[in-house]
Amino acid sequence: MITQKNTLGFTLTELMAVVVIVAILAGIGLGSYKKSIERSHFTEGLVAGTTILESMERFYYDNPDLPESDRLTPDLDELDVELSNTGTCVLSNVPGHCVKTKYFEIMIYNWGVQVYRVQNRTRKDYYFKLYSKVGPNSGNKDACLTSSLVGGDLCKGMGYTSCTGTGRALTCVKP
């Protein structure tokens, strides 16, 4: 007489198949998660840079009678902007013309602002230039510049699709 044995549980092969499938899905999800985090950092830098740029333009409009030498590059304390969680710049040491946020260093120039992505006290992957609508460079388009393939993908993914250069040295502008 043959009896049937009731088995509860899974075989080792079935468990290994589930583990492999979960690992594949986790790998895909982790890559997407990292990209979305870097996109949010990019947006944060863009917003901070634009905020300082707009404040700089208001300064120029509010002070039209300043001599040209005083209008070149306003100090941060002359601008009507305050960013939260700021610190002293570590890569660009120009007193009054640089501010550091958690992920970026923002430099103020007479033509606009330059926003560097900073991580562990070093520049990372990309930076962008935001040009003032007031002054000699008012016709220039904002640009995302990169020193890596990852940065190039990020610039393109954020709408800077008109690119010149190759590989690790791209300059991209919005069309």
Side-chain angles (χ1 to χ4, degrees):
M1 174 175 195
I2 299 175
T3 60
Q4 284 190 335
K5 183 178 174 184
N6 286 338
T7 58
L8 298 173
F10 301 101
T11 66
L12 182 59
T13 305
E14 292 169 332
L15 288 175
M16 290 302 294
V18 169
V19 168
V20 167
I21 291 170
V22 169
I24 291 170
L25 293 174
I28 293 169
L30 184 61
S32 296
Y33 175 73
K34 285 182 178 182
K35 284 181 184 177
S36 67
I37 292 295
E38 195 56 46
R39 271 194 283 256
S40 72
H41 291 171
F42 187 99
T43 302
E44 177 185 326
L46 193 60
V47 167
T50 302
T51 300
I52 290 176
L53 182 69
E54 289 172 351
S55 178
M56 190 172 92
E57 290 173 342
R58 283 192 301 275
F59 174 80
Y60 290 148
Y61 285 125
D62 291 346
N63 299 291
D65 298 331
L66 282 176
E68 193 62 34
S69 60
D70 291 339
R71 290 190 66 204
L72 287 179
T73 308
D75 286 342
L76 281 166
D77 58 357
E78 295 176 307
L79 302 179
D80 62 348
V81 67
E82 189 171 323
L83 300 173
S84 61
N85 300 323
T86 59
T88 305
C89 293
V90 292
L91 300 176
S92 307
N93 191 10
V94 182
H97 298 286
C98 183
V99 63
K100 183 177 182 330
T101 65
K102 186 172 182 179
Y103 302 106
F104 294 91
E105 282 192 7
I106 304 166
M107 296 288 301
I108 300 174
Y109 295 99
N110 63 338
W111 50 262
V113 296
Q114 195 156 298
V115 184
Y116 292 98
R117 174 71 167 95
V118 177
Q119 187 175 29
N120 299 328
R121 303 177 68 95
T122 59
R123 289 189 181 148
K124 181 182 178 195
D125 295 335
Y126 64 89
Y127 67 97
F128 37 90
K129 294 181 177 184
L130 305 174
Y131 290 96
S132 174
K133 308 299 181 261
V134 179
N137 294 314
S138 60
N140 289 354
K141 291 184 176 184
D142 296 347
C144 180
L145 299 97
T146 181
S147 59
S148 73
L149 297 174
V150 172
D153 290 343
L154 184 62
C155 288
K156 291 174 186 174
M158 296 302 287
Y160 292 85
T161 54
S162 181
C163 300
T164 57
T166 58
R168 296 178 179 264
L170 285 177
T171 299
C172 302
V173 296
K174 288 190 176 181

